Amino acid sequence: MYGIADLDNCYCSCEKVFRPDLEGKPIVVLSNNDGCVVARSNEAKALGIKDGTPYYQLARQFGLPLTPVAHAKGQPIEVFSSNYELYGELTGRVVSIIRQEAPAYFRYSIDECFMYLPKSLEGDELQRWGEHLHHRVRREVGLPISIGMAPNKTLAKIASKLAKKFEVYRHCCMIDSDYKRERALEWCPVEDVWGIGRRYAARLQSLGCKTALDFARHHRDWVRQTFNNINIVRTWQELNGEDAVPNEALTTKKSICTSRSFNGMVSDKESLRTHVANYAARCAEKLRMQKTVASIVGVFVNTNPFREDLAQYWNFQEQRLITPTSSTLAIVQAAHEVVDRIFKQGYQYKKAGVIVMGITPDSPIQQDLFDTNAEEIQKMRRLDEAIDRINRMLGTETVVIGAQQYTQKDGKGKADVFSNAIKHDFRSKNPTTRWSDIMRLNASDERI
DNA sequence: TCTGGGGTCCTAGGACCC
DNA sequence: TCTGGGGTCCTAGGACCC
């Protein structure tokens, strides 16, 4: 049996952990640059707010400020910029509890974790195990979690939806018989099945499948011939009770991408190079974190596709490295070479990104046959290690390379590289990761 | 004026290898 | 009319996930 532990409205729930006054209020969390709604509390969903709504539209509809207003009272919706430092830390605590409770698990995303369930338990015992996990996470971290249990991952996901939806399950729903399976599939709209996206859902609906059960009852050959795709056949198999979707190969990533939309437009090459240097440096850091090196560095740039009145340009090119590396300096340099090739004067750029590919373990590295500079490489490694250590201890971007620094107009102040570039006007504090944000409670405080 | 960021996998077709 | 068999690698396009 598989289990899935899925945090309810993850980002919104994280915001509530240190703000109990938010309980019962509609909350939304915005994407980078305060662009779109990416998370909603139940109360916000009840107001009809849709995932992905641009914030300026929401602000217009509900009369919300475009930037924070001091002492705002009676605002109909609480708004937050995304605070990944907080979400990463709190969800990490949840995973450490799962590590203690489940025989084995693999993290699927920031807010979901698949688990293998204890073999020794069945029926009511398993149900109680799930409820215990829910309560422990709630008590020790303060986050609400729903648990689904079933013979495969697709059915476990459906079970977790039931657990969220109906209180009778006490946050933990188990599908362990054909009867329960069919009742669950009958309830589940086909577009809500894990593995069936917008396109497949539209086709299935046009073919008369409204619920997951309608789909499951078709013949396997019909599924294979209609879609000619192995993944959807596997989804069909799982709806019928088999265990068919492969478990995540817990290997290292095959590509790593860092990209951002700009806060405003960028038209000069120097600024673009600075942005790209930051994304490249971030990619190098991610490579080192998973102990890998990359042999290809790609860069893309594009203008704002929503501005149909402006000239449009999109380009992506790669630079191959002779020696695979995770060195910040080497990857930034390669990315800059690509920028020099694809930059065109006269456009208003809105977004850029760096992708590193050809990823392999960092030892042994295939050295360049003609490269006599092995000593240089060792020096660069030690430099990166030192920078990583300082940034881990004193906060990200305490040390950056020169190319990452945005020109400060006033010529002073710490180069807070990303915050200079990205809008996050509604960001909450980081009481679990920053000394300066530690909470103070007064004896009279209702939170005590 | 304002519209996110990060991934994986599959299929088809062509180039190329022995 | 006839013209092998078995592979890999790459790219583009189209899906999917959170």
Side-chain angles (χ1 to χ4, degrees):
Chain A
M1 290 281 279
Y2 287 92
I4 181 154
D6 188 341
L7 289 162
D8 303 346
N9 310 328
C10 179
Y11 297 172
C12 290
S13 300
C14 288
E15 296 295 347
K16 284 205 263 190
V17 168
F18 297 100
R19 289 281 310 273
D21 58 298
L22 294 175
E23 194 55 52
K25 291 188 180 162
I27 304 174
V28 299
V29 176
L30 305 177
S31 64
N32 266 342
N33 273 323
D34 295 341
C36 300
V37 172
V38 292
R40 304 157 292 156
S41 67
N42 288 341
E43 296 80 7
K45 289 177 186 171
L47 287 175
I49 298 167
K50 298 273 176 279
D51 195 29
T53 307
Y55 180 60
Y56 74 93
Q57 288 177 7
L58 192 73
R60 198 181 291 156
Q61 188 186 346
F62 290 91
L64 306 170
L66 289 173
T67 50
V69 178
H71 314 298
K73 281 262 156 56
Q75 196 171 300
I77 301 170
E78 296 286 341
V79 179
F80 291 94
S81 306
S82 34
N83 183 350
Y84 291 104
E85 194 171 316
L86 179 69
Y87 311 151
E89 212 274 335
L90 292 181
T91 57
R93 295 182 182 196
V94 176
V95 173
S96 68
I97 290 176
I98 289 172
R99 183 179 302 131
Q100 293 167 31
E101 297 285 347
Y105 70 95
F106 51 92
R107 198 168 179 173
Y108 179 65
S109 70
I110 190 165
D111 67 333
E112 284 171 274
C113 208
F114 282 110
M115 305 173 288
Y116 299 99
L117 301 180
K119 283 211 176 79
S120 54
L121 304 181
E122 53 185 41
D124 288 348
E125 295 169 326
L126 214 43
Q127 175 74 28
R128 279 198 295 277
W129 177 87
E131 289 174 21
H132 162 73
L133 180 59
H134 164 88
H135 288 304
R136 210 184 141 189
V137 168
R138 182 85 216 191
R139 190 176 63 240
E140 293 180 24
V141 190
L143 290 174
I145 197 165
S146 296
I147 292 147
M149 303 192 285
N152 61 53
K153 297 187 287 299
T154 306
L155 290 174
K157 292 274 276 187
I158 292 175
S160 76
K161 281 183 202 289
L162 285 161
K164 281 186 206 300
K165 187 91 180 180
F166 301 105
E167 277 184 25
V168 61
Y169 294 114
R170 304 153 66 90
H171 313 286
C172 178
C173 173
M174 180 161 56
I175 297 176
D176 59 350
S177 72
D178 273 340
Y179 177 77
K180 286 190 197 169
R181 181 175 63 80
E182 296 208 354
R183 294 293 75 75
L185 296 192
E186 207 172 13
W187 167 83
C188 183
V190 77
E191 67 267 24
D192 288 352
V193 174
W194 186 51
I196 295 178
R198 264 214 317 274
R199 302 297 177 99
Y200 285 164
R203 276 181 72 190
L204 282 167
Q205 281 154 358
S206 75
L207 293 165
C209 297
K210 294 180 76 173
T211 68
L213 188 61
D214 296 333
F215 175 49
R217 285 197 166 151
H218 270 279
H219 195 275
R220 184 193 171 122
D221 293 341
W222 177 87
V223 179
R224 202 169 36 76
Q225 284 159 18
T226 306
F227 293 95
N228 187 32
N229 180 288
I230 184 71
N231 291 318
I232 193 161
V233 174
R234 287 177 179 148
T235 297
W236 175 89
Q237 286 176 278
E238 296 223 328
L239 292 176
N240 283 292
E242 293 175 53
D243 183 8
V245 174
N247 293 338
E248 302 296 291
L250 280 175
T251 52
T252 52
K253 295 204 169 84
K254 290 167 182 164
S255 69
I256 289 173
C257 173
T258 305
S259 76
R260 299 280 186 279
S261 292
F262 308 137
N263 179 14
M265 306 277 205
V266 166
S267 49
D268 68 299
K269 189 163 154 185
E270 270 317 301
S271 303
L272 196 65
R273 280 169 65 99
T274 308
H275 285 287
V276 166
N278 278 293
Y279 310 154
R282 185 74 190 115
C283 283
E285 244 178 65
K286 292 178 185 173
L287 282 169
R288 296 195 293 270
M289 257 181 341
Q290 56 167 29
K291 298 193 188 312
T292 51
V293 290
S295 61
I296 302 169
V297 178
V299 178
F300 68 85
V301 297
N302 59 254
T303 51
N304 186 347
F306 294 104
R307 289 294 301 272
E308 290 171 10
D309 54 319
L310 297 177
Q312 297 291 321
Y313 173 59
W314 182 92
N315 207 345
F316 170 81
Q317 277 190 36
E318 301 168 351
Q319 173 78 32
R320 279 162 198 266
L321 305 169
I322 296 170
T323 307
T325 184
S326 60
S327 148
T328 296
L329 288 173
I331 287 174
V332 168
Q333 190 188 344
H336 274 171
E337 283 170 30
V338 180
V339 171
D340 291 343
R341 289 207 300 271
I342 64 180
F343 176 83
K344 277 202 205 166
Q345 199 65 248
Y347 291 97
Q348 307 255 57
Y349 295 91
K350 183 61 182 170
K351 184 176 179 178
V354 174
I355 306 174
V356 292
M357 291 165 288
I359 296 177
T360 48
D362 67 359
S363 60
I365 296 174
Q366 177 62 56
Q367 299 282 347
D368 176 11
L369 186 58
F370 303 104
D371 192 350
T372 52
N373 244 343
E375 212 173 295
E376 266 317 292
I377 291 173
Q378 280 307 316
K379 272 168 77 178
M380 300 249 274
R381 268 201 179 203
R382 289 206 299 277
L383 175 63
D384 286 322
E385 280 165 15
I387 290 175
D388 287 344
R389 237 181 359 254
I390 293 169
N391 287 339
R392 258 200 310 276
M393 276 191 313
L394 302 178
T396 50
E397 292 153 13
T398 299
V399 178
V400 298
I401 64 170
Q404 288 175 258
Q405 296 231 290
Y406 295 98
T407 310
Q408 305 261 309
K409 287 214 174 79
D410 58 4
K412 58 186 176 190
K414 180 186 156 192
D416 188 356
V417 282
F418 276 114
S419 61
N420 263 4
I422 290 178
K423 198 170 147 196
H424 46 61
D425 290 339
F426 306 99
R427 193 141 83 187
S428 52
K429 296 192 169 216
N430 293 289
T432 62
T433 45
R434 299 198 184 196
W435 293 112
S436 57
D437 288 357
I438 283 186
M439 296 183 72
R440 284 162 207 271
L441 299 181
N442 300 316
S444 60
D445 200 307
E446 62 183 22
R447 287 174 291 195
I448 291 179

